[in-house]
Amino acid sequence: MSKTQVNTKPVAQEKNAGQAGNFFRENQKSVIFIVGAIFAMVVIYVAYQKLYIAPLEVKAANQMHVAQDFWAKKDWDKAIKGDAGYPGFQKIIDDYGNTKSANLAYFYLGTAYLNKGEFQKAIDNLVNYRGNDSMVAAEAFGGTADAYVELKDYDKAVTYFKKAADKASNKFLTPLYLKKLGLVYETQNDNQSADETYKKIKNDYPESPEAQNIDELIARTEAKL
């Protein structure tokens, strides 16, 4: 290696360091402003969560149990609208919209509307559920699919039954939603997809209640192929 080559690297490093230093000096105010703004946003977010959202979470949870009792008793109107000074799920959503309780209320409210036969309202609420509970999320997808079936929007029903089966990923709900999916495929005269779906129940969930008469459904679809 030549002497010229040896000296080139340190010179280049000094030049780069000098350019970085010049950039910071020239933009010092902007850099400080950006860092300060980020710090302020973090502080505001933490304060918002602790001082505003946390008390709302407690209040919403304390008021929601009456609506849940009505829902469990299938008193859908009172579950939706409330009774005797206690809010229904709709008011929980309106008053505590950023809380976990309000998020769960979307599921309860959507299911209540589904049972009342108000299918578009059911969809509007169920699709707003954003919880981490895979079982509840699967039921929200499944309820949405059921509502679309009632509205005869079978393409969307297929989409949501698939989501429900995938999200559930268990031996209880997945075969249930797969069977419903297969029935929708048959309604669409997509017998090949129906046959494949029924066989998935037979092969992957042989102990499920849905598998008990699955051979009849497979025979029916294969007769149409």
Side-chain angles (χ1 to χ4, degrees):
M1 182 181 291
S2 69
K3 186 175 181 180
T4 303
Q5 289 174 316
V6 171
N7 292 336
T8 299
K9 188 173 182 180
V11 170
Q13 290 175 337
E14 290 176 7
K15 185 177 179 181
N16 291 336
Q19 289 175 340
N22 289 336
F23 174 83
F24 180 78
R25 284 191 294 273
E26 292 171 1
N27 298 276
Q28 184 175 8
K29 290 184 178 179
S30 296
V31 171
I32 292 173
F33 175 79
I34 292 171
V35 172
I38 293 172
F39 178 76
M41 289 172 64
V42 172
V43 171
I44 290 170
Y45 176 78
V46 172
Y48 174 75
Q49 291 293 323
K50 289 188 176 182
L51 301 179
Y52 180 71
I53 293 297
L56 281 183
E57 290 282 7
V58 174
K59 190 173 181 180
N62 288 339
Q63 293 197 7
M64 190 164 146
H65 69 91
V66 174
Q68 289 174 312
D69 287 341
F70 286 132
W71 187 90
K73 295 174 182 176
K74 299 183 179 181
D75 191 338
W76 309 121
D77 287 329
K78 288 183 180 179
I80 292 169
K81 298 176 183 178
D83 183 62
Y86 284 93
F89 292 118
Q90 184 60 66
K91 189 167 177 57
I92 292 290
I93 292 169
D94 293 340
D95 291 352
Y96 308 102
N98 293 326
T99 65
K100 293 178 181 178
S101 293
N103 180 48
L104 183 58
Y106 277 118
F107 168 75
Y108 282 117
L109 186 59
T111 306
Y113 277 126
L114 181 63
N115 281 279
K116 278 172 60 67
E118 298 184 45
F119 304 117
Q120 189 56 56
K121 286 184 178 180
I123 292 167
D124 292 341
N125 285 282
L126 288 170
V127 297
N128 276 314
Y129 175 73
R130 295 289 185 274
N132 296 322
D133 188 310
S134 60
M135 293 287 282
V136 177
E139 290 186 61
F141 285 140
T144 303
D146 286 332
Y148 276 124
V149 168
E150 296 294 339
L151 294 174
K152 301 189 186 309
D153 190 338
Y154 299 121
D155 288 339
K156 288 184 179 177
V158 164
T159 297
Y160 278 94
F161 277 136
K162 285 181 178 179
K163 288 182 178 182
D166 290 342
K167 190 68 175 180
S169 191
N170 63 58
K171 62 183 181 180
F172 303 107
L173 290 179
T174 298
L176 169 65
Y177 293 131
L178 287 175
K179 183 176 180 180
K180 289 186 175 185
L181 175 61
L183 294 171
V184 174
Y185 278 137
E186 286 197 77
T187 301
Q188 293 179 304
N189 293 316
D190 186 353
N191 295 299
Q192 183 63 50
S193 294
D195 187 59
E196 292 170 0
T197 302
Y198 294 145
K199 285 178 179 176
K200 183 173 180 61
I201 296 172
K202 179 181 175 68
N203 295 328
D204 296 352
Y205 304 97
E207 303 300 323
S208 67
E210 289 73 24
Q212 302 311 304
N213 69 334
I214 205 67
D215 286 332
E216 296 175 16
L217 298 178
I218 292 172
R220 184 172 73 192
T221 54
E222 290 188 340
K224 300 175 186 176
L225 295 176

